[in-house]
Structures are given as C-alpha cells and as structure tokens.
Coordinates of all heavy atoms in Angstrom, one line a residue:
M1 N 109.5 105.7 -27.4 CA 108.2 105.2 -26.9 C 107.6 106.5 -26.1 O 108.2 107.0 -25.3 CB 108.3 104.0 -26.0 CG 106.9 103.6 -25.6 SD 106.5 102.1 -24.8 CE 107.8 101.2 -24.2
A2 N 106.3 106.7 -26.4 CA 105.6 107.8 -25.8 C 105.2 107.5 -24.3 O 104.9 106.4 -24.1 CB 104.3 108.1 -26.6
K3 N 105.5 108.5 -23.5 CA 105.2 108.3 -22.1 C 103.6 108.4 -21.8 O 102.9 109.2 -22.4 CB 105.9 109.4 -21.3 CG 105.9 109.1 -19.9 CD 106.9 110.2 -19.1 CE 107.0 109.8 -17.7 NZ 107.9 110.7 -17.1
A4 N 103.1 107.6 -21.0 CA 101.7 107.6 -20.7 C 101.3 108.9 -20.0 O 102.1 109.3 -19.1 CB 101.3 106.4 -19.8
R5 N 100.3 109.6 -20.4 CA 99.8 110.8 -19.9 C 99.1 110.6 -18.5 O 98.3 109.7 -18.4 CB 98.9 111.5 -20.9 CG 98.5 112.9 -20.4 CD 97.7 113.5 -21.5 NE 97.1 114.8 -21.0 CZ 97.7 116.0 -21.2 NH1 98.8 116.1 -21.9 NH2 97.1 117.0 -20.8
H6 N 99.4 111.5 -17.5 CA 98.8 111.4 -16.2 C 97.4 111.9 -16.3 O 97.1 112.9 -16.8 CB 99.5 112.1 -15.2 CG 98.8 112.3 -13.9 ND1 98.8 111.2 -13.0 CD2 98.2 113.3 -13.3 CE1 98.1 111.6 -11.9 NE2 97.8 112.8 -12.1
V7 N 96.5 111.0 -15.8 CA 95.0 111.4 -15.8 C 94.6 111.6 -14.3 O 94.6 110.7 -13.5 CB 94.1 110.3 -16.5 CG1 92.6 110.7 -16.4 CG2 94.6 110.1 -17.9
P8 N 94.4 112.9 -13.9 CA 94.0 113.1 -12.5 C 92.7 112.4 -12.2 O 91.7 112.4 -12.9 CB 93.9 114.6 -12.4 CG 93.7 115.1 -13.8 CD 94.3 114.0 -14.7
E9 N 92.6 111.8 -11.0 CA 91.5 111.1 -10.5 C 90.9 111.8 -9.4 O 91.6 112.5 -8.6 CB 91.8 109.7 -10.1 CG 91.9 108.7 -11.2 CD 92.0 107.2 -10.7 OE1 92.2 107.0 -9.5 OE2 91.9 106.3 -11.5
R10 N 89.5 111.7 -9.3 CA 88.8 112.3 -8.1 C 87.9 111.3 -7.5 O 87.6 110.3 -8.1 CB 88.1 113.6 -8.5 CG 89.0 114.7 -9.0 CD 89.9 115.3 -7.9 NE 90.7 116.3 -8.3 CZ 92.0 116.3 -8.7 NH1 92.5 115.1 -8.7 NH2 92.6 117.4 -9.0
R11 N 87.3 111.6 -6.3 CA 86.4 110.7 -5.6 C 85.1 111.4 -5.4 O 85.0 112.5 -5.0 CB 87.0 110.3 -4.4 CG 86.2 109.2 -3.6 CD 86.8 108.8 -2.3 NE 87.0 109.9 -1.4 CZ 86.0 110.4 -0.6 NH1 84.8 109.8 -0.5 NH2 86.3 111.4 0.2
C12 N 84.0 110.7 -5.7 CA 82.6 111.3 -5.5 C 82.4 111.3 -3.9 O 82.7 110.4 -3.3 CB 81.5 110.4 -6.1 SG 79.8 110.9 -5.8
V13 N 82.0 112.5 -3.5 CA 81.8 112.6 -2.0 C 80.6 111.9 -1.5 O 80.5 111.6 -0.3 CB 81.6 114.1 -1.6 CG1 82.9 115.0 -1.9 CG2 80.4 114.8 -2.2
A14 N 79.6 111.5 -2.4 CA 78.5 110.7 -2.0 C 78.7 109.2 -2.0 O 78.4 108.5 -1.0 CB 77.4 111.1 -2.9
C15 N 79.2 108.6 -3.2 CA 79.4 107.2 -3.3 C 80.7 106.7 -3.1 O 81.0 105.4 -2.9 CB 78.7 106.7 -4.6 SG 79.7 107.2 -6.1
G16 N 81.7 107.5 -3.2 CA 83.1 107.1 -3.0 C 83.8 106.5 -4.3 O 84.9 106.1 -4.2
Q17 N 83.1 106.6 -5.3 CA 83.6 106.0 -6.6 C 84.8 106.9 -7.1 O 84.7 108.1 -7.0 CB 82.5 106.0 -7.7 CG 83.0 105.7 -9.1 CD 81.8 106.0 -10.2 OE1 80.8 106.3 -9.9 NE2 82.3 105.9 -11.4
R18 N 85.9 106.3 -7.5 CA 87.1 107.0 -8.0 C 87.0 106.9 -9.6 O 86.6 105.8 -10.2 CB 88.3 106.4 -7.6 CG 88.6 106.6 -6.2 CD 90.1 106.2 -5.9 NE 90.5 106.8 -4.7 CZ 91.0 108.0 -4.5 NH1 91.1 108.8 -5.6 NH2 91.4 108.5 -3.3
A19 N 87.2 108.0 -10.3 CA 87.2 108.0 -11.8 C 88.0 109.3 -12.2 O 88.4 110.1 -11.4 CB 85.8 108.1 -12.2
P20 N 88.3 109.4 -13.5 CA 89.0 110.5 -14.0 C 88.2 111.9 -13.7 O 86.9 111.8 -13.7 CB 89.0 110.4 -15.4 CG 89.0 108.9 -15.6 CD 88.1 108.4 -14.5
K21 N 88.8 112.9 -13.4 CA 88.3 114.1 -13.0 C 87.2 114.7 -13.9 O 86.2 115.2 -13.4 CB 89.3 115.2 -12.8 CG 89.0 116.6 -12.3 CD 90.2 117.4 -12.3 CE 89.7 118.9 -12.0 NZ 90.9 119.7 -11.9
K22 N 87.3 114.5 -15.2 CA 86.4 114.9 -16.2 C 85.0 114.3 -16.1 O 84.1 114.9 -16.6 CB 87.0 114.8 -17.6 CG 88.1 115.8 -17.9 CD 88.5 115.7 -19.3 CE 89.6 116.7 -19.6 NZ 89.7 117.0 -20.9
Q23 N 84.9 113.2 -15.5 CA 83.6 112.5 -15.3 C 82.8 113.0 -14.2 O 81.6 112.6 -14.0 CB 83.8 111.0 -15.2 CG 84.4 110.4 -16.4 CD 84.5 108.8 -16.1 OE1 84.1 108.3 -15.2 NE2 85.2 108.2 -17.1
F24 N 83.4 113.9 -13.4 CA 82.6 114.5 -12.2 C 82.3 115.9 -12.5 O 82.8 116.6 -13.2 CB 83.5 114.3 -11.0 CG 83.7 112.9 -10.5 CD1 84.9 112.4 -10.6 CD2 82.7 112.2 -10.0 CE1 85.2 111.1 -10.2 CE2 82.9 110.9 -9.5 CZ 84.1 110.3 -9.6
T25 N 81.4 116.3 -11.5 CA 81.0 117.8 -11.5 C 81.6 118.3 -10.2 O 81.4 117.8 -9.0 CB 79.5 118.0 -11.5 OG1 78.9 117.5 -12.7 CG2 79.2 119.5 -11.4
R26 N 82.4 119.5 -10.3 CA 82.9 120.0 -9.1 C 82.0 121.0 -8.5 O 81.3 121.8 -9.2 CB 84.2 120.8 -9.4 CG 85.0 121.4 -8.3 CD 86.3 121.9 -8.6 NE 87.0 122.3 -7.4 CZ 87.3 123.6 -7.2 NH1 86.9 124.5 -8.0 NH2 88.0 123.9 -6.1
I27 N 81.8 120.9 -7.2 CA 81.0 121.8 -6.4 C 81.9 122.6 -5.5 O 82.8 121.9 -4.9 CB 79.9 121.1 -5.5 CG1 79.1 120.0 -6.3 CG2 79.0 122.0 -4.8 CD1 78.3 120.6 -7.5
V28 N 81.8 123.9 -5.5 CA 82.8 124.7 -4.8 C 82.2 125.6 -3.7 O 81.1 126.1 -4.0 CB 83.6 125.5 -5.8 CG1 82.8 126.4 -6.5 CG2 84.9 126.1 -5.1
R29 N 82.8 125.8 -2.7 CA 82.4 126.7 -1.7 C 83.4 127.9 -1.9 O 84.6 127.8 -1.8 CB 82.7 126.3 -0.2 CG 82.3 127.3 0.8 CD 82.8 126.9 2.2 NE 84.3 127.1 2.1 CZ 85.0 126.5 3.0 NH1 84.6 125.7 3.9 NH2 86.4 126.7 2.9
T30 N 82.8 129.0 -2.4 CA 83.6 130.2 -2.8 C 84.1 130.8 -1.4 O 83.6 130.7 -0.3 CB 82.7 131.2 -3.5 OG1 81.7 131.7 -2.7 CG2 82.2 130.6 -4.8
P31 N 85.1 131.7 -1.6 CA 85.6 132.5 -0.4 C 84.5 133.3 0.3 O 84.6 133.6 1.4 CB 86.7 133.4 -1.0 CG 87.2 132.6 -2.1 CD 85.9 132.0 -2.7
E32 N 83.4 133.7 -0.5 CA 82.4 134.5 0.1 C 81.4 133.6 1.0 O 80.5 134.0 1.5 CB 81.6 135.2 -1.0 CG 82.4 136.3 -1.7 CD 83.3 135.7 -2.9 OE1 83.0 134.6 -3.4 OE2 84.4 136.3 -3.0
G33 N 81.5 132.2 0.7 CA 80.6 131.3 1.5 C 79.5 130.7 0.6 O 78.8 129.9 1.2
T34 N 79.3 131.1 -0.5 CA 78.3 130.5 -1.3 C 78.8 129.2 -1.9 O 80.0 129.0 -2.2 CB 77.8 131.5 -2.5 OG1 78.9 131.7 -3.4 CG2 77.3 132.7 -2.0
V35 N 77.8 128.4 -2.2 CA 78.2 127.0 -2.8 C 77.5 127.0 -4.2 O 76.3 127.2 -4.3 CB 77.5 125.9 -1.9 CG1 77.8 124.5 -2.5 CG2 78.1 126.0 -0.5
L36 N 78.3 126.6 -5.2 CA 77.8 126.5 -6.5 C 78.5 125.5 -7.4 O 79.6 125.0 -7.0 CB 78.0 127.9 -7.2 CG 79.3 128.7 -7.1 CD1 80.1 128.4 -8.4 CD2 79.0 130.2 -7.0
A37 N 78.0 125.1 -8.5 CA 78.6 124.1 -9.3 C 79.6 124.9 -10.2 O 79.4 126.0 -10.8 CB 77.6 123.5 -10.3
D38 N 80.8 124.3 -10.3 CA 82.0 124.9 -11.1 C 82.2 124.1 -12.4 O 82.8 123.1 -12.4 CB 83.2 124.8 -10.2 CG 84.4 125.3 -10.9 OD1 84.3 126.1 -11.8 OD2 85.5 125.0 -10.3
A39 N 81.6 124.7 -13.4 CA 81.6 124.1 -14.8 C 83.1 124.0 -15.2 O 83.4 123.1 -15.9 CB 80.8 124.8 -15.7
T40 N 83.9 124.9 -15.0 CA 85.3 125.0 -15.4 C 86.2 124.1 -14.6 O 87.2 123.6 -15.1 CB 85.9 126.4 -15.4 OG1 86.0 126.8 -14.1 CG2 85.0 127.3 -16.2
G41 N 85.9 123.9 -13.4 CA 86.7 123.0 -12.5 C 87.9 123.8 -12.0 O 88.8 123.3 -11.4
K42 N 87.9 125.2 -12.1 CA 89.0 126.0 -11.7 C 88.7 127.2 -10.8 O 89.5 128.0 -10.5 CB 89.7 126.5 -13.0 CG 90.3 125.4 -13.9 CD 90.9 126.0 -15.1 CE 91.5 124.9 -16.0 NZ 92.1 125.4 -17.2
A43 N 87.5 127.2 -10.3 CA 87.0 128.3 -9.4 C 87.8 128.2 -8.2 O 88.1 127.1 -7.7 CB 85.5 128.3 -9.2
S44 N 88.0 129.5 -7.6 CA 88.7 129.5 -6.4 C 87.8 129.1 -5.2 O 86.6 129.4 -5.2 CB 89.1 131.0 -6.1 OG 89.6 131.2 -4.9
G45 N 88.3 128.3 -4.3 CA 87.5 127.9 -3.2 C 87.7 126.4 -2.9 O 88.4 125.6 -3.6
R46 N 87.1 126.0 -1.8 CA 87.1 124.5 -1.4 C 86.2 123.7 -2.3 O 85.0 124.1 -2.4 CB 86.8 124.3 0.1 CG 87.0 122.9 0.6 CD 86.7 122.9 2.1 NE 86.8 121.5 2.5 CZ 88.0 121.0 2.9 NH1 89.1 121.6 2.8 NH2 88.0 119.7 3.3
G47 N 86.6 122.6 -2.9 CA 85.7 121.9 -3.7 C 85.5 120.4 -3.3 O 86.3 119.8 -2.6
G48 N 84.4 119.9 -3.9 CA 84.1 118.5 -3.8 C 83.5 118.1 -5.1 O 83.0 118.9 -5.9
Y49 N 83.5 116.7 -5.3 CA 83.0 116.2 -6.6 C 81.9 115.3 -6.5 O 81.8 114.5 -5.5 CB 84.2 115.4 -7.3 CG 85.4 116.4 -7.7 CD1 86.3 116.8 -6.8 CD2 85.4 117.0 -9.0 CE1 87.3 117.6 -7.1 CE2 86.5 117.8 -9.3 CZ 87.4 118.1 -8.3 OH 88.5 119.1 -8.7
L50 N 80.9 115.4 -7.4 CA 79.8 114.5 -7.5 C 79.8 113.8 -8.8 O 80.0 114.5 -9.9 CB 78.4 115.2 -7.2 CG 78.3 115.8 -5.8 CD1 77.0 116.6 -5.8 CD2 78.0 114.5 -4.9
C51 N 79.5 112.6 -8.8 CA 79.3 111.8 -10.1 C 78.0 112.2 -10.8 O 77.1 112.9 -10.1 CB 79.5 110.4 -10.0 SG 78.4 109.5 -8.9
S52 N 77.6 111.6 -11.9 CA 76.4 112.0 -12.6 C 75.1 111.3 -12.1 O 74.0 111.5 -12.6 CB 76.5 111.9 -14.1 OG 76.8 110.5 -14.4
S53 N 75.3 110.4 -11.1 CA 74.1 109.7 -10.6 C 73.1 110.5 -9.8 O 73.6 111.4 -9.0 CB 74.7 108.6 -9.7 OG 73.6 108.0 -8.9
V54 N 71.8 110.4 -10.1 CA 70.8 111.2 -9.3 C 70.9 110.8 -7.9 O 70.7 111.7 -7.0 CB 69.5 111.0 -9.9 CG1 69.0 109.6 -9.7 CG2 68.5 112.0 -9.3
D55 N 71.2 109.6 -7.5 CA 71.3 109.2 -6.1 C 72.4 109.9 -5.4 O 72.3 110.3 -4.3 CB 71.4 107.7 -5.9 CG 70.3 106.9 -6.4 OD1 69.1 107.4 -6.4 OD2 70.5 105.7 -6.8
C56 N 73.5 110.1 -6.1 CA 74.7 110.8 -5.5 C 74.3 112.3 -5.3 O 74.7 112.9 -4.3 CB 75.9 110.7 -6.3 SG 76.6 109.0 -6.3
W57 N 73.6 112.9 -6.3 CA 73.3 114.3 -6.0 C 72.3 114.5 -4.9 O 72.4 115.4 -4.1 CB 72.7 114.8 -7.4 CG 73.8 115.2 -8.3 CD1 74.5 114.4 -9.1 CD2 74.3 116.6 -8.6 NE1 75.5 115.1 -9.8 CE2 75.3 116.4 -9.5 CE3 73.9 117.8 -8.1 CZ2 76.0 117.5 -9.9 CZ3 74.6 118.9 -8.5 CH2 75.6 118.7 -9.5
E58 N 71.3 113.5 -4.8 CA 70.4 113.6 -3.7 C 71.1 113.4 -2.3 O 70.8 114.1 -1.4 CB 69.3 112.6 -3.9 CG 68.3 113.0 -5.0 CD 67.3 111.9 -5.3 OE1 67.2 110.8 -4.5 OE2 66.4 112.1 -6.1
K59 N 72.0 112.4 -2.3 CA 72.7 112.2 -1.1 C 73.6 113.2 -0.8 O 73.8 113.7 0.5 CB 73.5 110.8 -1.2 CG 74.2 110.3 0.1 CD 74.9 109.1 -0.2 CE 75.6 108.6 1.1 NZ 76.4 107.4 0.9
G60 N 74.4 113.7 -1.7 CA 75.3 114.8 -1.6 C 74.7 116.1 -1.0 O 75.2 116.8 -0.1
I61 N 73.5 116.5 -1.6 CA 72.9 117.8 -1.3 C 72.0 117.6 -0.2 O 71.9 118.4 0.7 CB 72.2 118.4 -2.6 CG1 73.3 118.7 -3.7 CG2 71.4 119.6 -2.2 CD1 72.7 119.1 -5.0
G62 N 71.2 116.5 -0.2 CA 70.2 116.4 0.8 C 70.6 115.7 2.1 O 70.1 116.1 3.2
K63 N 71.6 114.8 2.0 CA 71.9 114.0 3.3 C 73.1 114.6 4.0 O 73.5 114.1 5.0 CB 72.1 112.6 2.9 CG 71.0 111.9 2.3 CD 70.3 111.1 3.2 CE 69.3 110.2 2.4 NZ 68.0 110.2 2.8
G64 N 73.8 115.6 3.4 CA 74.8 116.3 4.1 C 76.3 115.9 3.8 O 77.2 116.4 4.3
S65 N 76.6 114.9 2.8 CA 77.9 114.5 2.6 C 78.7 115.6 1.9 O 79.9 115.8 2.1 CB 78.0 113.2 1.8 OG 77.3 113.3 0.5
L66 N 78.0 116.4 1.1 CA 78.6 117.6 0.5 C 79.0 118.7 1.5 O 80.0 119.3 1.5 CB 77.8 118.1 -0.7 CG 78.4 119.1 -1.6 CD1 79.6 118.5 -2.3 CD2 77.4 119.6 -2.7
E67 N 78.1 118.8 2.4 CA 78.3 119.9 3.5 C 79.5 119.5 4.4 O 80.2 120.4 4.7 CB 77.0 120.0 4.4 CG 75.9 120.7 3.7 CD 74.6 120.9 4.6 OE1 74.5 120.0 5.6 OE2 73.9 121.8 4.4
R68 N 79.6 118.2 4.6 CA 80.8 117.8 5.4 C 82.1 118.1 4.7 O 83.0 118.4 5.2 CB 80.6 116.3 5.8 CG 79.7 116.1 7.0 CD 79.8 114.6 7.6 NE 79.4 113.6 6.4 CZ 78.1 113.4 6.2 NH1 77.1 114.0 6.9 NH2 77.8 112.4 5.2
N69 N 82.0 117.7 3.5 CA 83.2 117.8 2.6 C 83.6 119.3 2.4 O 84.8 119.7 2.5 CB 83.0 117.2 1.2 CG 84.2 117.2 0.3 OD1 84.4 118.2 -0.4 ND2 85.1 116.3 0.4
L70 N 82.6 120.2 2.2 CA 82.9 121.6 2.0 C 83.1 122.4 3.3 O 83.4 123.6 3.3 CB 81.8 122.2 1.1 CG 81.7 121.6 -0.3 CD1 80.5 122.4 -1.0 CD2 83.0 121.8 -1.1
Q71 N 82.7 121.7 4.4 CA 82.8 122.3 5.7 C 81.9 123.6 5.8 O 82.4 124.7 6.2 CB 84.2 122.6 6.2 CG 85.0 121.5 6.2 CD 86.5 121.6 6.4 OE1 86.9 122.8 6.4 NE2 87.2 120.5 6.6
V72 N 80.7 123.5 5.4 CA 79.8 124.6 5.3 C 78.3 124.1 5.4 O 78.0 123.0 5.0 CB 80.0 125.5 4.1 CG1 79.6 124.7 2.8 CG2 79.2 126.8 4.1
T73 N 77.4 124.9 5.9 CA 76.0 124.6 5.8 C 75.4 125.2 4.4 O 75.6 126.4 4.2 CB 75.2 125.2 7.0 OG1 75.7 124.7 8.1 CG2 73.8 124.9 6.9
I74 N 74.8 124.4 3.6 CA 74.4 124.9 2.3 C 73.0 125.5 2.5 O 72.1 124.9 3.0 CB 74.3 123.7 1.3 CG1 75.7 123.1 1.2 CG2 73.8 124.2 -0.1 CD1 75.7 121.9 0.3
S75 N 72.9 126.8 2.0 CA 71.6 127.5 2.2 C 70.6 127.0 1.2 O 70.9 126.2 0.3 CB 71.9 129.0 1.8 OG 72.1 129.2 0.5
R76 N 69.3 127.3 1.5 CA 68.3 126.8 0.6 C 68.4 127.3 -0.8 O 68.1 126.6 -1.7 CB 66.9 127.3 1.3 CG 65.6 126.8 0.5 CD 64.4 127.3 1.2 NE 64.3 126.4 2.4 CZ 63.7 127.0 3.6 NH1 63.2 128.2 3.6 NH2 63.7 126.2 4.6
E77 N 68.8 128.5 -1.0 CA 69.0 129.1 -2.3 C 70.1 128.3 -3.0 O 70.0 128.0 -4.3 CB 69.3 130.6 -2.3 CG 68.2 131.4 -1.7 CD 68.3 131.5 -0.1 OE1 69.3 131.2 0.4 OE2 67.2 131.8 0.4
D78 N 71.2 128.0 -2.4 CA 72.3 127.2 -3.0 C 71.9 125.9 -3.4 O 72.2 125.3 -4.5 CB 73.5 127.3 -2.1 CG 74.2 128.6 -1.9 OD1 74.0 129.5 -2.8 OD2 75.0 128.8 -1.0
R79 N 71.1 125.2 -2.5 CA 70.6 123.9 -2.8 C 69.8 123.9 -4.1 O 69.9 123.1 -4.9 CB 69.7 123.3 -1.7 CG 70.5 122.9 -0.5 CD 69.5 122.4 0.6 NE 70.0 122.4 1.9 CZ 70.7 121.4 2.4 NH1 71.0 120.3 1.7 NH2 71.3 121.4 3.6
A80 N 68.8 124.9 -4.1 CA 67.9 125.0 -5.4 C 68.8 125.3 -6.6 O 68.5 124.7 -7.7 CB 67.0 126.1 -5.2
R81 N 69.8 126.1 -6.5 CA 70.7 126.4 -7.6 C 71.5 125.2 -8.1 O 71.6 124.9 -9.3 CB 71.7 127.5 -7.2 CG 72.3 128.2 -8.4 CD 73.3 129.3 -8.1 NE 72.7 130.2 -7.0 CZ 73.2 130.5 -5.9 NH1 74.4 130.1 -5.6 NH2 72.7 131.3 -5.1
L82 N 71.9 124.4 -7.1 CA 72.6 123.1 -7.5 C 71.7 122.1 -8.2 O 72.1 121.5 -9.1 CB 73.3 122.5 -6.2 CG 74.5 123.2 -5.6 CD1 74.8 122.7 -4.2 CD2 75.6 123.2 -6.6
L83 N 70.5 121.9 -7.6 CA 69.5 121.0 -8.2 C 69.1 121.5 -9.6 O 69.0 120.7 -10.5 CB 68.3 120.8 -7.3 CG 68.6 120.1 -6.0 CD1 67.4 120.1 -5.1 CD2 69.0 118.6 -6.3
D84 N 69.0 122.8 -9.8 CA 68.7 123.3 -11.2 C 69.8 123.0 -12.1 O 69.6 122.6 -13.3 CB 68.4 124.8 -11.1 CG 67.1 125.2 -10.5 OD1 66.2 124.3 -10.4 OD2 66.9 126.3 -10.1
Y85 N 71.1 123.2 -11.6 CA 72.2 122.9 -12.4 C 72.2 121.5 -12.8 O 72.5 121.0 -13.9 CB 73.5 123.3 -11.7 CG 74.7 123.0 -12.5 CD1 75.3 123.8 -13.4 CD2 75.5 121.8 -12.4 CE1 76.3 123.6 -14.2 CE2 76.6 121.4 -13.1 CZ 77.0 122.4 -14.0 OH 78.1 122.0 -14.8
Y86 N 71.9 120.6 -11.9 CA 71.9 119.1 -12.1 C 70.9 118.8 -13.2 O 71.2 118.1 -14.1 CB 71.6 118.3 -10.9 CG 71.4 116.8 -11.2 CD1 72.5 116.0 -11.4 CD2 70.2 116.2 -11.3 CE1 72.4 114.7 -11.8 CE2 70.1 114.9 -11.6 CZ 71.2 114.1 -11.8 OH 71.0 112.8 -12.2
R87 N 69.7 119.3 -13.0 CA 68.6 119.0 -14.0 C 69.0 119.6 -15.4 O 68.7 118.9 -16.4 CB 67.3 119.6 -13.5 CG 66.7 118.9 -12.4 CD 65.3 119.5 -12.1 NE 65.0 119.1 -10.6 CZ 65.0 120.1 -9.6 NH1 65.3 121.3 -9.9 NH2 64.8 119.7 -8.4
S88 N 69.6 120.8 -15.4 CA 69.8 121.3 -16.7 C 71.1 120.8 -17.5 O 71.1 120.7 -18.7 CB 69.8 122.9 -16.7 OG 70.9 123.3 -15.9
Q89 N 72.1 120.5 -16.7 CA 73.3 120.2 -17.3 C 73.7 118.7 -17.2 O 73.9 118.0 -18.2 CB 74.5 121.0 -16.6 CG 74.3 122.5 -16.7 CD 74.4 123.0 -18.2 OE1 75.2 122.5 -18.9 NE2 73.5 123.9 -18.6
V90 N 73.8 118.2 -16.0 CA 74.3 116.9 -15.7 C 73.3 115.8 -16.3 O 73.7 114.9 -16.9 CB 74.6 116.7 -14.3 CG1 75.2 115.3 -14.0 CG2 75.6 117.7 -13.8
A91 N 72.1 115.9 -15.8 CA 71.1 114.9 -16.2 C 70.9 114.8 -17.7 O 70.7 113.8 -18.3 CB 69.7 115.2 -15.5
Q92 N 70.8 116.0 -18.3 CA 70.8 116.0 -19.9 C 71.9 115.4 -20.5 O 71.8 114.6 -21.5 CB 70.5 117.4 -20.3 CG 69.1 118.0 -20.0 CD 68.9 119.3 -20.6 OE1 69.8 120.0 -21.2 NE2 67.7 119.9 -20.4
A93 N 73.1 115.7 -20.0 CA 74.3 115.1 -20.6 C 74.3 113.6 -20.4 O 74.7 112.8 -21.3 CB 75.5 115.7 -20.0
A94 N 73.8 113.1 -19.3 CA 73.8 111.6 -19.0 C 72.8 110.9 -20.0 O 73.0 109.9 -20.5 CB 73.4 111.4 -17.6
Q95 N 71.7 111.6 -20.2 CA 70.8 111.1 -21.2 C 71.3 111.0 -22.6 O 71.0 110.1 -23.4 CB 69.4 111.9 -21.2 CG 68.6 111.8 -19.9 CD 67.4 112.7 -19.9 OE1 67.3 113.5 -20.8 NE2 66.6 112.6 -18.9
V96 N 72.1 112.0 -23.0 CA 72.6 112.0 -24.4 C 73.7 110.9 -24.5 O 73.7 110.2 -25.6 CB 73.4 113.4 -24.6 CG1 74.2 113.3 -25.8 CG2 72.3 114.5 -24.7
E97 N 74.4 110.7 -23.4 CA 75.4 109.6 -23.5 C 74.8 108.2 -23.5 O 75.4 107.3 -24.1 CB 76.4 109.7 -22.2 CG 77.3 110.8 -22.4 CD 78.2 111.0 -21.1 OE1 78.1 110.1 -20.3 OE2 78.9 112.0 -21.1
A98 N 73.7 108.0 -22.9 CA 73.0 106.7 -22.9 C 72.4 106.3 -24.2 O 72.3 106.7 -25.1 CB 71.9 106.7 -21.8

C-alpha cells in the first residue's frame, strides 16, 4: 500500500486560515531588509504567508500583521511593490480559477 505523501501546511498571517503551502504567497524579508513577494517560496530570509483574498492582502500590508510577522517596518516602495505583485499575479490567478 502506498504511503500518504506529507503536504506542508502554512497559516495566513492576516486571517489565520491554514491550508497547503502552495495555496499561499510567501512574503519574505531579505537579509538586506527589503520586503518582497517570493514566487519560488525558497528565497533566503524570514517569511510570512498571505492567502489570495484581497482583504488579507490589505490587512497584511496596510494594518501591520505582516510587519509584526516579519519583524520589520515595510517601506513605502516595498508596499507598492507588494500591491503591484498582488494585482498582477495573485488577483489574476484567482480570477482564472473562479
């Protein structure tokens, strides 16, 4: 009998939902201190995960839950870069799935 494969789970820093890692977007604080979206999920640095909900992205970036998780103050440029990533990658993928 085949053994069940382990599926790593992660938790959204904004809403607390648990799900398989592939359903989330990893946000990473690099060793240089910049904050960016990690499409590969393997970038070096402290990471946090956000689900594809627009509310979670707004809460995570705007209300500070992502800053608390990454233990950093997110700069205005990094915020803009994260929101651009959300609009171009995550929101479009969610529309395709729906």
Side-chain angles (χ1 to χ4, degrees):
M1 180 169 8
K3 194 173 185 179
R5 184 175 171 97
H6 173 73
V7 178
E9 283 191 345
R10 297 295 183 262
R11 184 181 60 84
C12 176
V13 298
C15 68
Q17 170 190 355
R18 288 190 165 278
K21 181 180 174 181
K22 290 187 176 196
Q23 292 181 7
F24 292 111
T25 302
R26 182 172 187 248
I27 310 298
V28 65
R29 180 195 71 202
T30 64
E32 295 80 31
T34 59
V35 177
L36 50 96
D38 177 17
T40 64
K42 297 179 182 181
S44 176
R46 183 174 182 88
Y49 294 84
L50 288 172
C51 62
S52 60
S53 165
V54 68
D55 293 335
C56 287
W57 279 77
E58 288 175 0
K59 184 177 178 184
I61 295 170
K63 304 254 195 236
S65 60
L66 192 58
E67 287 182 334
R68 281 189 298 279
N69 182 267
L70 298 178
Q71 300 173 351
V72 68
T73 301
I74 300 175
S75 71
R76 182 175 291 146
E77 295 83 20
D78 289 343
R79 283 180 202 277
R81 194 175 318 126
L82 288 171
L83 290 173
D84 287 342
Y85 179 85
Y86 174 75
R87 287 184 206 110
S88 67
Q89 302 293 321
V90 181
Q92 288 180 358
Q95 289 176 353
V96 170
E97 290 176 5

